[in-house]
Amino acid sequence: MLNKFDPEIYKALRKEIEKQKNTINLIPSENIVSKNVLKIVGSIFTNKYAEGYPGKRYYGGCKFVDIVEKVAIERACKLFNSEHANVQPHSGSQANMAVYFSILKPGDKILAMDISSGGHLTHGVKVNFSGMLYNTCFYSVDKETELINYDKVREIALKENPKLIICGSSSYSRIIEFEKFSQIAKEINAYLLADIAHIAGLIIGNLHPTPIGYADFITSTTHKTLRGPRGGLILCKKEFKERIDSLVIPGIQGGPLVHVIAAKAVAFKEAMTKKFKKYQIQIIKNCKKLCEELQKRGYRIVSGGTDNHLFVIDLRDKGINGLFAQEILEKVGIITNKNLIPFDPLPPSITSGIRIGTPCITSRGMKEKEMEKIAEWIDETLKNKGNEKILKDIKKKIRRFASEYPIYPE
Ligand code: PLP
């Protein structure tokens, strides 16, 4: 038994279970998978090597692995109405890497959203491979509205003439208009990549427009609103199938994580159900409610609200920074992450904001009435940051409250 053989790791696991059970997780990029997904990701498929693709493997004994991968590909194509899917990327970052390597040469120019407006590290940030290899120019949100200004994106695109335009974000709380991005890309003959890592579940639920038909490539993670195992996904037209597949393996990866691909297949099947659609609707309802409750209590939300599963609070007028807020909230059992606000004067290690999202708490069964309580606890905690007694009291309440909601939902 693990507890006897490796008490160090076993103890950390027990503590993590306890923490997930007794706290409120508001990190928008995380989720709580179903029992079925959890079971298959911990299955003996982890034992199998399967370099290559169904029917064309470098290893023997792949008969059952082939079934799994074929089903995962078929389900991904059906879910998103895509001509082709590659389900092998180990992560969202590797999905992006495969797309870049398939169409760009080092030094080529890409145009992407800057990180303080909501762009991701892999969208050309200097410290990331994407920023090291490619010449990136950025668009930001509008300073006044904090929304994407498509005229401005077009202006930059015409001036810079990038080979690839990337849309999709880690913290933008509004609808992304893929059609407008597509028009801009077409005008300058650039490729368009839609990175839907955050909003994949909302797209499946028809709660956000789809990039299918507009983007040449679509990348995603499978573990955020999609509620599957940690991993990546690439969708593309048939014409790019060969290029993408050969870039994933042998281009940038070796053996696929078969247990994860099996869990992706199960998650895709779950995503085809009415229950999944209802779940996505509730994520947004909860997010809007939590956002409104915080606004009522005087918090400024970037762009003035949310249309999706997340939002960013600007803490500058509260006299605290994102790092401090993250730490004090964690102390009482509310898990968030510090986040840059557009044009943030503070560095990414400190930030002026925190990012809040509702996929996890919705998976645990919370609804609008719980959002009122959570907003109240966030407010009380930040207001009473110096009062240990009050903070202890809030922590107790949160522990009692959170432990009522399952961390192993169906
Ligand atoms: N793209 C976006 C928009 C993301 O938000 C993320 C992760 O946060 C990624 C890509 C990368 O995903 P991963 O962490 O699986 O590499």
Side-chain angles (χ1 to χ4, degrees):
M1 292 306 273
L2 185 66
N3 58 346
K4 291 252 163 63
F5 175 71
D6 196 339
E8 224 176 334
I9 295 300
Y10 180 78
K11 219 166 133 194
L13 172 65
R14 295 305 317 172
K15 290 274 180 206
E16 179 65 23
I17 292 170
E18 217 175 281
K19 185 208 77 190
Q20 290 198 18
K21 192 165 159 230
N22 296 326
T23 58
I24 298 167
N25 185 357
L26 298 176
I27 295 179
S29 47
E30 294 182 5
N31 210 330
I32 295 184
V33 297
S34 70
K35 279 185 190 150
N36 282 331
V37 167
L38 196 57
K39 190 168 179 191
I40 196 81
V41 85
S43 72
I44 54 159
F45 276 126
T46 196
N47 297 341
K48 190 69 198 104
Y49 240 116
E51 282 179 4
Y53 290 99
K56 284 176 285 177
R57 303 285 187 190
Y58 294 93
Y59 284 77
C62 287
K63 199 163 141 193
F64 304 112
V65 164
D66 279 5
I67 296 174
V68 165
E69 188 167 352
K70 267 194 209 155
V71 168
I73 293 168
E74 276 163 24
R75 287 181 187 166
C77 287
K78 193 165 168 207
L79 257 188
F80 290 97
N81 195 22
S82 176
E83 289 179 12
H84 179 60
N86 187 306
V87 296
Q88 291 198 13
H90 299 332
S91 71
S93 298
Q94 270 154 315
N96 283 342
M97 183 185 257
V99 170
Y100 302 160
F101 282 13
S102 73
I103 51 169
L104 301 175
K105 288 196 289 299
D108 277 350
K109 195 176 266 185
I110 59 182
L111 171 61
M113 187 182 239
D114 85 284
I115 201 160
S116 81
S117 294
H120 187 254
L121 266 180
T122 55
H123 297 179
V125 177
K126 272 279 162 272
V127 292
N128 181 261
F129 80 90
S130 55
M132 294 172 196
L133 284 182
Y134 307 114
N135 180 5
T136 324
C137 48
F138 294 103
Y139 57 90
S140 304
V141 290
D142 182 82
K143 250 194 176 138
E144 287 294 304
T145 62
E146 295 172 320
L147 301 174
I148 296 171
N149 178 339
Y150 295 88
D151 292 333
K152 189 80 192 162
V153 176
R154 179 175 175 269
E155 200 182 301
I156 300 171
L158 290 178
K159 183 168 157 253
E160 300 284 352
N161 201 27
K163 196 161 174 194
L164 171 70
I165 298 179
I166 305 171
C167 55
S169 163
S170 302
S171 59
Y172 188 64
S173 64
R174 300 301 190 167
I175 299 293
I176 297 169
E177 299 189 47
F178 297 118
E179 188 176 358
K180 288 192 178 158
F181 273 108
S182 156
Q183 283 162 359
I184 297 167
K186 280 209 174 92
E187 197 175 343
I188 57 161
N189 205 18
Y191 290 109
L192 179 65
L193 164 65
D195 179 343
I196 59 167
H198 265 265
I199 54 173
L202 305 179
I203 290 171
I204 292 167
N206 284 324
L207 301 163
H208 189 290
T210 175
I212 290 280
Y214 298 117
D216 300 292
F217 303 94
I218 298 167
T219 53
S220 186
T221 55
T222 47
H223 49 272
K224 298 187 171 115
T225 49
L226 186 42
R227 214 180 153 221
R230 312 199 70 76
L233 171 70
I234 305 172
L235 304 168
C236 64
K237 293 180 194 148
K238 271 218 172 82
E239 65 181 285
F240 298 118
K241 175 183 186 306
E242 302 301 325
R243 259 202 268 178
I244 285 295
D245 285 356
S246 63
L247 237 308
V248 173
I249 158 102
I252 62 165
Q253 289 187 176
L257 308 175
V258 180
H259 55 306
V260 177
I261 293 175
K264 285 175 187 173
V266 173
F268 295 155
K269 185 159 189 175
E270 289 176 351
M272 288 169 182
T273 61
K274 279 202 188 109
K275 193 174 156 202
F276 186 80
K277 163 110 188 179
K278 266 175 83 181
Y279 163 63
Q280 298 295 328
I281 292 171
Q282 193 62 48
I283 290 180
I284 295 185
K285 279 188 187 166
N286 285 351
C287 197
K288 281 187 188 292
K289 179 72 178 169
L290 186 51
C291 183
E292 282 162 20
E293 289 295 324
L294 286 163
Q295 282 173 314
K296 266 194 227 163
R297 289 164 176 82
Y299 291 86
R300 193 188 89 78
I301 307 299
V302 170
S303 89
T306 176
D307 300 322
N308 60 21
H309 63 300
L310 63 76
F311 56 89
V312 176
I313 307 177
D314 175 358
L315 293 162
R316 286 174 303 174
D317 58 0
K318 303 288 173 209
I320 51 176
N321 62 49
L323 175 62
F324 180 84
Q326 177 191 307
E327 286 177 352
I328 193 96
L329 287 169
E330 184 162 354
K331 218 168 165 178
V332 299
I334 297 175
I335 315 296
T336 61
N337 70 288
K338 61 183 182 292
N339 208 91
L340 292 169
I341 58 165
F343 312 99
D344 204 319
L346 296 177
S349 55
I350 302 175
T351 81
S352 300
I354 46 169
R355 190 176 62 152
I356 302 268
T358 50
C360 279
I361 51 176
T362 310
S363 290
R364 294 183 72 184
M366 296 183 200
K367 297 216 164 99
E368 287 95 321
K369 73 174 187 338
E370 285 91 339
M371 299 308 114
E372 281 179 44
K373 281 189 181 166
I374 294 173
E376 187 56 29
W377 284 324
I378 291 174
D379 187 36
E380 270 183 39
T381 303
L382 296 181
K383 274 189 180 147
N384 292 290
K385 48 191 178 289
N387 191 327
E388 286 299 323
K389 190 176 168 305
I390 294 181
L391 295 183
K392 250 192 188 157
D393 205 41
I394 299 171
K395 184 178 177 174
K396 248 194 228 159
K397 283 187 201 159
I398 288 178
R399 196 183 164 88
R400 216 176 305 131
F401 165 85
S403 64
E404 304 267 308
Y405 297 87
I407 55 163
Y408 299 105
E410 287 306 320

